[in-house]
């Protein structure tokens, strides 16, 4: 167990914000995690996973516990399916590649998402037609205050669009220590419905794709529009795609016939925040070192020395502009700390 004080978190958040932790404990074993929790008052604890979905707007005057638990294993398998478990500190994309190497299917559309396995259920991460909940079997978690170990099944997690019970009712109460996934063997169900995936496969002349091809397609699509956090600090989509009611949508469509949309049931419509921000003329907009990415307007980027406050201010400016132009209220997808 490594303990330091007044520690910079710059390398621990994908925005690359130089905020400090009053105390920083990195735990790489379950025993160390329990020890660290026993030593610290629950109210003094701040849990840090991959740091890929947060904007640090201030120093953290608490004990930051960095979850470095690693390990992946096969729990059970039948002829068609396998249940695998990965520890919370495993890098998400490395875990996806491991599954692909074993020819286990289900995670390929979620290739190259930044972050760690342990935080994937909190967000119910999703991309290219697949969400974590589609492959989620269960997760193990430890209660921060009582140290009780609990297993959460899918229904306990209350998954929604970029949402779960861990972001709502049970926020800050548990630390997810490992996640189990139910993946396919042999007869994989490919999700190629997303236009860009189809286009990439056609371009590569792949007529009978396998899960590795889908993963390669997703990697290529993501690399073409989403900045690599190791090169340009960012936290993926900064806002959620807003869901508006049908009447509102039809009015917008009259004004902007080209607006992309996805119906959710009959009465609600999800519209891409990236399109709204782009349409408002803010794609590529920059204020100091804080900016809107040039290829995907939903992503805010840190060109170097932006502070969390500056990025937050930029996000407020975007929010105000979208509200005045479209009457739509954007909500952040990242956790503002
Ligand atoms: N668009 C624009 N201009 C832009 C960005 C997007 O016109 O600058 C348009 C696109 O042309 C497209 C539509 O908006 O018609 C949707 O864009 P895209 O396919 O890039 O996806 P998105 O809705 O912006 C969501 C997720 C991403 C995920 C992609 C692919 C959210 C908040 N974001 O983005 O997730 O990778 O779909 O499935 O749901 C993340 O959560 O961090 C993330 C990157």
């Amino acid at each position: 167990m490594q303990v330091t004080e007044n520690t910079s978190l710059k390398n621990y958040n994908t925005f690359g914000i130089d905020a400090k932790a009053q105390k920083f404990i990195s735990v790489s074993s379950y025993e160390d995690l329990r020890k660290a929790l026993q030593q610290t008052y629950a109210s003094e604890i701040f849990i840090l996973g991959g740091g890929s979905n947060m904007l640090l707007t201030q120093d953290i005057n608490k004990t930051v516990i960095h979850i470095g638990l690693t390990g992946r294993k096969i729990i059970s398998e039948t002829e068609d399916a396998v249940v695998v478990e990965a520890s919370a500190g495993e890098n998400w994309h490395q875990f996806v590649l491991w599954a692909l190497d074993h020819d286990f299917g289900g995670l390929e559309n979620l290739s190259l998402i930044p972050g760690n396995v342990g935080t994937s259920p909190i967000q119910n991460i999703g991309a290219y037609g697949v969400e974590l909940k589609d492959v989620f079997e269960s997760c193990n978690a430890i209660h921060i205050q009582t140290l009780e170990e609990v297993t959460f099944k899918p229904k306990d997690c209350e998954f929604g669009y970029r949402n779960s019970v861990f972001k709502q009712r049970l926020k800050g109460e548990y630390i997810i220590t490992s996640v189990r996934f139910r993946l396919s063997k042999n007869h994989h169900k490919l999700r190629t419905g997303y236009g860009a995936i189809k286009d990439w496969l056609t371009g590569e002349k792949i007529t009978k794709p396998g899960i590795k091809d889908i993963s390669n397609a997703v990697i290529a699509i993501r690399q073409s529009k989403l900045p690599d956090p190791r090169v340009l600090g960012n936290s993926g989509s900064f806002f959620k795609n807003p869901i508006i009611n049908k009447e509102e949508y039809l009015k917008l469509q009259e004004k902007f016939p080209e607006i992309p949309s996805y119906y959710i049931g009959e009465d609600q419509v999800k519209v891409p925040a990236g399109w709204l921000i782009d349409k408002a003329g803010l794609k590529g907009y920059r204020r100091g070192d804080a900016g809107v990415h040039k290829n995907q307007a939903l992503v805010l980027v840190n060109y170097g020395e932006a502070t969390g406050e500056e990025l937050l201010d930029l996000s407020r400016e975007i929010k105000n502009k979208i509200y005045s132009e479209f009457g739509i209220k954007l909500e952040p997808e990242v956790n503002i700390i």
Side-chain angles (χ1 to χ4, degrees), residues 36-292:
L37 292 177
Q38 272 161 355
Q39 283 172 8
T40 321
Y41 285 116
S43 61
E44 288 297 306
I45 293 172
F46 180 94
I47 299 299
L48 180 64
S52 64
N53 203 46
M54 61 186 213
L55 177 64
L56 291 166
T57 62
Q58 54 191 319
D59 289 340
I60 301 183
N61 295 319
K62 288 187 174 187
T63 297
V64 172
I65 300 182
H66 177 246
I67 309 296
L69 309 172
T70 52
R72 319 154 176 151
K73 58 182 180 220
I74 295 169
I75 299 294
S76 63
E77 54 189 315
T78 62
E79 208 172 309
D80 299 322
V82 58
V83 173
V84 298
E85 181 178 287
S87 297
E90 284 287 332
N91 171 273
W92 175 262
H93 183 59
Q94 294 307 317
F95 168 60
V96 171
L97 293 180
W98 174 84
L100 288 167
D101 278 345
H102 287 76
D103 195 33
F104 299 154
L107 299 171
E108 52 283 357
N109 294 50
L110 303 175
S111 296
L112 213 62
I113 294 184
N116 288 351
V117 166
T119 36
S120 62
I122 301 180
Q123 266 297 92
N124 182 24
I125 58 170
Y128 306 104
V130 175
E131 283 184 331
L132 174 113
K133 71 173 173 54
D134 303 330
V135 282
F136 179 87
E137 171 80 4
S138 65
C139 66
N140 287 325
I142 181 165
H143 193 270
I144 289 179
Q145 208 156 12
T146 63
L147 303 194
E148 186 196 1
E149 290 166 33
V150 183
T151 299
F152 287 85
K153 302 298 267 179
K155 66 166 176 21
D156 307 321
C157 297
E158 300 169 19
F159 289 125
Y161 166 57
R162 295 293 192 278
N163 210 350
S164 77
V165 73
F166 305 109
K167 256 181 123 172
Q168 302 293 337
R169 202 160 42 78
L170 299 181
K171 190 173 176 179
E173 289 202 27
Y174 286 91
I175 298 171
I176 294 172
T177 51
S178 64
V179 186
R180 290 186 179 187
F181 301 85
R182 178 171 292 272
L183 305 175
S184 59
K185 273 171 64 184
N186 308 319
H187 307 290
H188 303 302
K189 186 168 161 253
L190 302 182
R191 263 92 22 131
T192 54
Y194 201 90
I197 294 185
K198 271 193 197 136
D199 295 345
W200 187 86
L201 294 171
T202 310
E204 295 290 311
K205 301 191 173 52
I206 298 171
T207 47
K208 286 197 182 120
I211 50 177
K212 207 75 185 120
D213 299 312
I214 306 294
S215 169
N216 288 336
V218 168
I219 289 172
I221 299 162
R222 290 189 77 97
Q223 283 176 339
S224 74
K225 52 181 168 185
L226 296 169
D228 179 347
R230 285 168 304 184
V231 180
L232 192 59
N234 76 88
S235 212
S237 303
F238 192 89
F239 297 101
K240 287 187 190 179
N241 284 333
I243 297 169
I244 58 178
N245 64 42
K246 193 175 165 183
E247 290 77 60
E248 266 180 279
Y249 170 70
L250 292 175
K251 266 190 226 153
L252 266 179
Q253 202 192 24
E254 254 172 51
K255 238 173 134 183
F256 308 102
E258 75 283 19
I259 185 170
S261 61
Y262 318 94
Y263 267 86
I264 300 178
E266 284 183 9
D267 303 324
Q268 291 197 305
V269 184
K270 198 195 256 184
V271 293
W275 184 89
L276 297 169
I277 300 167
D278 191 349
K279 192 75 188 169
L282 291 172
K283 193 166 172 167
Y285 175 66
R286 183 168 172 172
R287 256 172 58 178
D289 267 355
V292 179

